[in-house]
């Protein structure tokens, strides 16, 4: 493991970073919280699968099917190690974070959440960790309780404690929250929260869509019960998500998607389901992309997640310091860089984020503008939208300088 | 290039929107939002003998959606209600002078037209519920 | 469109077909009903996406995101055309056939199937079109009625009519069946059945996993209400399925996977869902593979689905005639080749299908052995397993000859 | 190569399985199937003083799963029940002489061991329910 990551060397592994845009500009990709770019190792792993051993897995006995099964299951083991889970059966492949959370809402929530129960979440949740619970709540007659978020994105454990107490013993069935806000960038120290929840026998789901890609993850250390994240936000292909569930819980969980592969015996009137994790992977999986995700994990391990985090902290500090110099800019989220992931949301007075993003595009700069799938938080912040620049391992200070130039250009156009 | 988009006219309508606000007791009140970005437009209309006597819009959003709404109110004010039916995507884009917007921003430019068409449909269907089927696809703009 | 397909030219487009197996053998891939191989056009489309315009779709305003959105939506339109649907909004992207059917079971079934209702299906359904209905039936207190399948895989419309009548008016909520059996190969003439069902106001779901890849499809002609199929069984990548739903039905359907992208407005207590089809595509979709699927559709259109079907009929006739020559072989499914798709299931007395497949692997021959995810049918046929050889556009007579040699070798080993 | 797999011994056990059938009033009766292929094995045991006095298997499946079951019954017959605990995957594969099976076929070869271990676990847990936790993972073979 190298001491610090060599961003210029890393950049050479990403074909898209040498692409020229419409007018010959380089791509300055600062929308990594939406999805990251892919190194050639990942792209090649997918091509290699299709060119050399594409076959349906688990059941066939011929050579390429056995090769495919082996590579697919290897990725499961890689992920187990990456998040330090105890057992590889605790790793379920889904399409994305959203499906992972829906799986929990349908399969676990469906039989564990009853009328009059509560689910606690925060005001900064991404729609993917909010709407499924709203839908479940409506179906079951259960209520959602939102933990307040202050302007920097902090939530209070005292408030949590109070909500649980008021709700009454045994009524709160789940606490679900994002380990890192995709708008404010706030990293929540979940360990303490999980301890508090477990003391009251409440399981905790972590939406790790933003945290797992950017810092070391250890599910045994945090002791979370569920963890959801997406491959495409961590160098992996689109179409693969992960749901980690503690074995004790998973073994008792009903299936979600039913059909081929997740069964042991099917009769006209009843079905015996397969063992975990297969019970939760109905139908032909996204074999190629799971294998591609394995290559992404290898790539990240090679760099080291501590180095990823270190690079982002350094870059975020630079980004924050440069943004702060812009006149009439408002920056959201924590001030302390240790408390934030590698993303910064902001608004420049008089320039709507969409207009800002359109102007930035002229400079080849790709940022996100909008509500970032967090409308409840937007309402709380009393804004419709914000601009968001989000970083990853291949971003440089030079790119941040181009962003700043572009923002100043936008200010000139809008005469602010 | 964005210099072509953010010309003086757009910025002027954005900063000084025409017909912005509400109508008291409107004949038509309708609103919609763009799920992609959260932009919101509401439109109030006063209709007399099928002619648009007064129109006001309200909303939050980007320069393109707000300027486009502002210009749209000017386009249809004092015109027969049926004008709305005939208005196309291209009419709007030409009127605001933005014929080469990308697909995401086009939706900003057309949000107000969509809202206006929705309002017209609602108006006719309220009057004559049996026309619902026929009017069904009239609010499509993109 | 060429008159007949040039299989030797086609084979050059599939990199895997020139791969050498462990002992230098060529791959004789005859497991196309499980998944098909991919032409370089598809593999390249995926690589190109990741190398040139990988970005999250629908929301961002920068150049590569607009390119990605456009390509993604183009595939939707290609599929609309491919199955001759009226509107592209009737096309929903899922992970596979299994998820497509589960989507209907959860979202449509959840609110349309009530206690005491019936769902009619056939004895030859794949688990993916059986278990979801069993689960739904159990949740709702609804019953499944199985249409009997005779030894050649035919079902009787009179029996269907009778079951519906006995059940009582308005009680049968859905008829669901595979347009082509993945074990028997029987192609069911669904048009008549759908007419009968519609006369009684019963919607029909077609599991098109085996039919859509192998013959022309026209949903307006068959008038089916739901159609499910998988990209990976028709030259496309793993991780993409399609669900077609008639617009009138889709517009009234509850969502399934909820989260980002499928919403219009989210508030603490309620959510307004997005328009169709987006309402049914929660979370970041499998962008790369949907685009890759578009390339597969282009490839199939280039060949022409009629030619695909013609090639398979010819090849199946050859395969059947050769298999029939083998001593003590039992072949399942229809005798008439017009009634069957390009697959043949069989058993050789005294050789279990698994052992058969293992021996065939020595010859580079990849076939499937087992219950083919159709255990109810296996029970009916009173067998545990069968061998299945299934064909596609790149298979040749020479490959069938190798299969036959290998089968005879198996007979020698087992001294049958 | 499959000639190495389908040697005379395997084919012999497949065609003439030893200890095939049922035991009347067995002390242990257990069955399981392989979800991947549908192979089924059931095993009956007669136990006296923790020694396997009689063992019979029944089932449907491929040559490997059936021959392996047949050989397994010979391996453990008249041995202490605890022998089962110590039996590993490799013991079985070596005994049947198939050390280089692919992952899919390995499950065929190990199905009978899995069933036997399940039976043993059940036997002990029935006797002493408090041992359930301790025995939990004893039936794992692959
Ligand atoms: C008839 C039929 N239905 C459903 C499926 C399931 O398809 P998938 O695994 O792609 O979901 C298959 C394929 O195995 C099939 O043959
Ligand atoms: C915090 C958070 N949760 C969930 C999601 C949803 O991820 P996906 O779209 O991959 O399902 C995202 C990404 O947009 C996110 O940032």
């Amino acid at each position: 493991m190298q001491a610090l990551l060599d961003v210029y060397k890393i950049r050479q592994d990403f074909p898209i970073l040498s692409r020229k845009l419409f007018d010959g500009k380089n791509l300055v990709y600062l929308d990594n919280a939406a999805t990251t770019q892919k190194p050639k190792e990942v792209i090649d792993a997918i091509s290699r699968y299709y060119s050399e051993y594409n076959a349906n897995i688990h059941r066939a006995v011929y050579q390429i099917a056995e090769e495919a099964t082996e590579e697919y299951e290897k990725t499961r083991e890689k992920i187990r190690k990456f998040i330090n889970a105890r057992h590889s059966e605790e790793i379920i492949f889904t399409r994305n974070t959203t499906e992972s959370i829906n799986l929990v809402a349908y399969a676990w929530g469906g039989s564990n959440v009853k009328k009059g129960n509560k689910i606690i979440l925060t005001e900064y949740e991404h729609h993917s960790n909010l709407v499924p619970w709203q839908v479940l709540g409506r179906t079951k007659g259960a209520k959602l309780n939102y933990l307040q978020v202050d302007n920097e994105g902090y939530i209070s454990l005292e408030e949590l404690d109070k909500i649980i107490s008021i709700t009454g013993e045994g009524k709160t069935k789940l606490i679900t929250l994002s380990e890192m806000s995709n708008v404010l960038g706030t990293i929540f120290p979940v360990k303490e929260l999980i301890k508090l929840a477990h003391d009251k026998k409440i399981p905790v789901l972590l939406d790790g869509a933003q945290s797992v890609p950017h810092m070391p993850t250890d599910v045994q250390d945090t002791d979370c019960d569920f963890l959801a994240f997406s491959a495409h936000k961590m160098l992996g292909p689109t179409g693969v998500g992960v749901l980690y569930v503690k074995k004790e819980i998973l073994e008792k969980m009903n299936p979600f998607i039913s059909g081929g592969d997740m069964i042991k015996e099917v009769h006209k009137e009843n079905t015996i389901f397969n063992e975990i994790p297969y019970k939760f992977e109905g139908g032909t999986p996204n074999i190629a992309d799971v294998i591609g995700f394995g290559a992404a994990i290898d790539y990240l391990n090679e760099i080291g997640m501590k180095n990823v985090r270190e690079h982002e902290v350094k870059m975020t500090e630079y980004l924050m310091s440069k943004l702060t110099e812009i006149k009439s800019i408002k920056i959201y989220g924590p001030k302390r860089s240790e408390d934030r992931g590698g993303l910064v949301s902001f608004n420049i007075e008089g320039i709507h984020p969409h207009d800002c993003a359109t102007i930035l595009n002229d400079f080849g700069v790709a940022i996100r503008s909008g509500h970032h799938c967090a409308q409840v938080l937007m309402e709380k912040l009393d804004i419709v939208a914000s601009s968001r620049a989000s970083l990853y391992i291949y971003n440089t200070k030079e790119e941040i300088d181009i962003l700043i130039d572009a923002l100043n250009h936008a200010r000139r156009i809008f005469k602010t | 290039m964005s210099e072509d988009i953010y010309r003086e006219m757009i910025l002027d309508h954005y900063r000084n929107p025409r017909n912005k606000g509400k109508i008291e007791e409107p004949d038509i009140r309708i609103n919609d939002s763009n799920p992609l970005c959260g932009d919101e437009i509401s439109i109030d209309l006063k209709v007399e003998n099928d002619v648009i006597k007064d129109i006001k819009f309200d909303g939050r959003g980007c320069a393109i959606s707000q300027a486009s709404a502002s210009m749209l109110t000017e386009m249809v004010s004092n015109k027969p209600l049926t004008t709305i039916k005939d208005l196309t995507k291209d009419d709007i884009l030409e009127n605001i002078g933005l014929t080469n917007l990308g697909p995401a921003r086009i939706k900003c430019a057309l949000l107000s037209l969509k809202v206006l068409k929705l309002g017209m449909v609602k108006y006719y269907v309220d009057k004559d519920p049996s026309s619902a089927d026929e009017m069904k696809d009239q609010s499509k703009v993109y």
Side-chain angles (χ1 to χ4, degrees), chain A, chain B:
Chain A
M1 208 184 285
Q2 62 209 92
L4 212 92
L5 54 80
D6 181 349
V7 65
Y8 298 99
K9 192 164 154 284
I10 285 173
R11 289 178 70 83
Q12 291 174 9
D13 296 332
F14 290 77
I16 203 171
L17 296 182
S18 53
R19 169 179 175 177
K20 298 291 171 205
L21 297 176
F22 59 107
D23 56 354
K25 288 244 163 44
N26 289 319
L27 173 64
V28 177
Y29 188 73
L30 298 172
D31 194 14
N32 292 289
T35 198
T36 65
Q37 298 305 334
K38 323 300 173 200
K40 63 176 178 321
E41 283 80 353
V42 169
I43 305 172
D44 290 349
I46 297 168
S47 301
R48 206 178 315 122
Y49 166 77
Y50 286 128
S51 306
E52 294 180 14
Y53 60 103
N54 167 65
N56 214 325
I57 55 169
H58 289 317
R59 268 166 296 135
V61 303
Y62 47 84
Q63 185 187 347
I64 58 172
E66 296 205 329
E67 290 171 0
T69 305
E70 200 177 320
E71 287 302 314
Y72 180 86
E73 290 301 330
K74 254 192 212 160
T75 298
R76 204 191 297 277
E77 172 59 17
K78 282 177 193 174
I79 290 165
R80 183 201 66 70
K81 232 166 139 181
F82 191 79
I83 64 171
N84 195 31
R86 266 189 203 83
H87 313 283
S88 63
E89 311 96 85
E90 296 176 322
I91 309 299
I92 299 167
F93 289 116
T94 63
R95 178 173 38 246
N96 48 30
T97 304
T98 304
E99 196 198 9
S100 296
I101 296 173
N102 275 268
L103 196 165
V104 179
Y106 277 98
W108 181 87
S111 50
N112 285 284
V113 175
K114 306 254 147 65
K115 207 179 144 126
N117 288 167
K118 305 241 171 173
I119 291 165
I120 299 179
L121 69 176
T122 83
E123 289 178 332
Y124 67 51
E125 294 317 311
H126 189 280
H127 294 159
S128 293
N129 194 25
L130 193 163
V131 187
W133 307 114
Q134 230 180 42
V135 170
L136 178 69
R138 189 149 307 174
T139 319
K140 294 287 176 174
K143 265 203 68 139
L144 303 193
N145 270 149
Y146 290 87
L147 281 173
Q148 290 211 28
V149 173
D150 71 16
N151 275 341
E152 295 193 34
Y154 298 111
I155 55 177
S156 128
L157 288 189
E158 284 95 73
E159 195 203 344
L160 173 62
D161 202 24
K162 214 186 290 170
I163 293 185
I164 298 174
S165 306
I166 290 175
T167 304
E169 208 171 318
K171 288 286 184 205
T172 302
K173 287 299 167 189
L174 181 74
I175 299 172
T176 181
L177 80 164
S178 185
E179 209 174 352
M180 172 179 146
S181 159
N182 69 317
V183 180
L184 301 169
T186 323
I187 297 171
F188 193 79
V190 290
K191 214 172 144 176
E192 218 182 322
L193 178 144
I194 293 174
K195 208 184 153 323
L196 186 153
H198 284 179
D199 282 347
K200 310 197 182 221
K201 303 206 162 31
I202 304 167
V204 177
L205 184 153
L206 291 185
D207 173 350
Q210 295 300 339
S211 54
V212 176
H214 299 283
M215 58 186 85
T217 300
D218 184 336
V219 291
Q220 293 190 57
D221 182 51
T222 58
D223 203 26
C224 62
D225 302 276
F226 305 91
L227 173 69
F229 56 100
S230 297
H232 72 92
K233 291 188 199 280
M234 48 196 293
L235 308 183
T238 55
V240 178
V242 169
L243 175 64
Y244 157 84
V245 185
K246 258 190 205 159
K247 198 174 174 190
E248 305 90 83
I249 299 176
L250 197 57
E251 277 176 335
K252 289 187 210 121
M253 238 164 85
N254 283 331
F256 174 44
I257 299 290
S258 47
D261 252 22
M262 54 72 76
I263 60 90
K264 183 156 191 163
E265 282 176 36
V266 175
H267 306 285
K268 276 193 178 174
E269 307 300 331
N270 73 304
T271 288
I272 302 169
F273 295 112
N274 202 341
E275 291 160 10
I276 62 169
Y278 309 111
K279 178 176 170 181
F280 296 94
E281 294 177 5
T284 303
N286 189 348
I287 307 167
D289 292 333
V290 165
I291 292 172
F293 189 25
I297 298 279
D298 290 344
Y299 192 93
L300 286 172
N301 282 336
E302 188 69 29
I303 294 175
M305 289 309 290
K306 270 198 184 143
N307 293 326
V308 170
R309 173 71 185 138
E310 222 171 272
H311 172 72
E312 287 187 22
V313 169
K314 220 177 58 193
M315 294 291 293
T316 309
E317 275 169 6
Y318 185 73
L319 173 59
M320 292 275 281
S321 75
K322 286 289 177 179
L323 284 175
T324 324
E325 290 170 9
I326 292 176
K327 222 189 98 197
S328 48
I329 197 169
K330 181 159 174 47
I331 296 173
Y332 305 97
K335 301 221 159 47
R336 305 196 323 163
S337 55
E338 314 93 87
D339 290 4
R340 49 154 90 232
L343 69 83
V344 183
S345 287
F346 58 89
N347 265 317
I348 298 175
E349 215 186 295
I351 313 179
H352 188 282
H354 283 346
D355 300 316
C356 184
T358 294
I359 295 169
L360 262 50
N361 186 44
D362 287 351
F363 290 73
V365 176
I367 64 156
R368 176 71 34 147
S369 61
H371 53 59
H372 315 293
C373 297
Q375 289 191 322
V376 166
L377 178 63
M378 292 286 126
E379 238 171 81
K380 169 83 177 197
L381 298 173
D382 196 27
I383 53 179
V384 184
S386 77
S387 297
R388 181 187 69 187
S390 53
L391 308 165
Y392 211 27
I393 47 171
Y394 35 68
N395 289 124
T396 63
K397 287 192 177 173
E398 290 81 351
E399 289 182 313
I400 291 177
D401 293 339
I402 296 174
L403 165 70
I404 300 294
D405 280 354
L407 288 174
N408 282 322
H409 185 74
R411 287 189 47 229
R412 279 192 296 276
I413 288 186
F414 272 80
K415 304 196 180 68
T416 70
Chain B
M1 293 298 290
S2 46
E3 265 85 356
D4 303 332
I5 298 176
Y6 298 101
R7 287 161 302 110
E8 203 43 59
M9 187 178 71
I10 297 271
L11 294 178
D12 177 45
H13 274 271
Y14 178 47
R15 294 220 189 77
N16 313 298
R18 329 295 196 256
N19 303 312
K20 182 137 187 192
K22 300 268 174 207
I23 297 175
E24 273 186 37
E25 297 187 34
D27 296 307
I28 302 175
R29 165 162 291 172
I30 191 93
N31 72 298
D32 200 13
S33 63
N34 183 339
L36 305 178
C37 59
D39 283 4
E40 299 163 355
I41 295 281
S42 76
I43 293 182
D44 287 359
L45 291 164
K46 202 80 198 166
V47 180
E48 266 171 45
N49 298 324
D50 275 350
V51 167
I52 299 167
K53 277 296 165 195
D54 195 7
I55 177 164
K56 289 219 182 305
F57 86 98
D58 209 350
R60 305 203 283 181
C62 63
I64 294 178
S65 75
Q66 303 303 306
S68 156
S70 168
M71 292 189 222
L72 180 64
T73 60
E74 289 192 322
M75 269 177 98
V76 299
S77 173
N78 287 311
K79 295 269 162 58
L81 202 52
T82 51
T83 320
I84 300 173
K85 215 184 216 161
D86 299 331
L87 274 179
T88 66
K89 169 178 157 171
D90 292 336
D91 292 337
I92 297 298
L93 297 177
E94 272 164 34
N95 184 51
I96 59 178
L98 295 176
T99 47
N100 54 0
L101 282 179
R105 299 315 305 279
I106 277 194
K107 300 204 171 170
C108 300
L110 297 178
L111 177 60
S112 51
L113 179 63
K114 188 177 169 214
V115 173
L116 192 59
K117 292 207 175 210
L118 277 174
M120 173 201 65
V121 169
K122 190 166 171 290
Y123 181 75
Y124 283 121
V125 173
D126 282 353
K127 264 183 147 176
D128 174 11
S130 75
S131 69
D133 255 13
E134 176 199 334
M135 299 299 291
K136 209 164 161 276
D137 286 330
Q138 290 288 351
S139 56
K140 271 224 181 130
V141 290
Y142 31 74

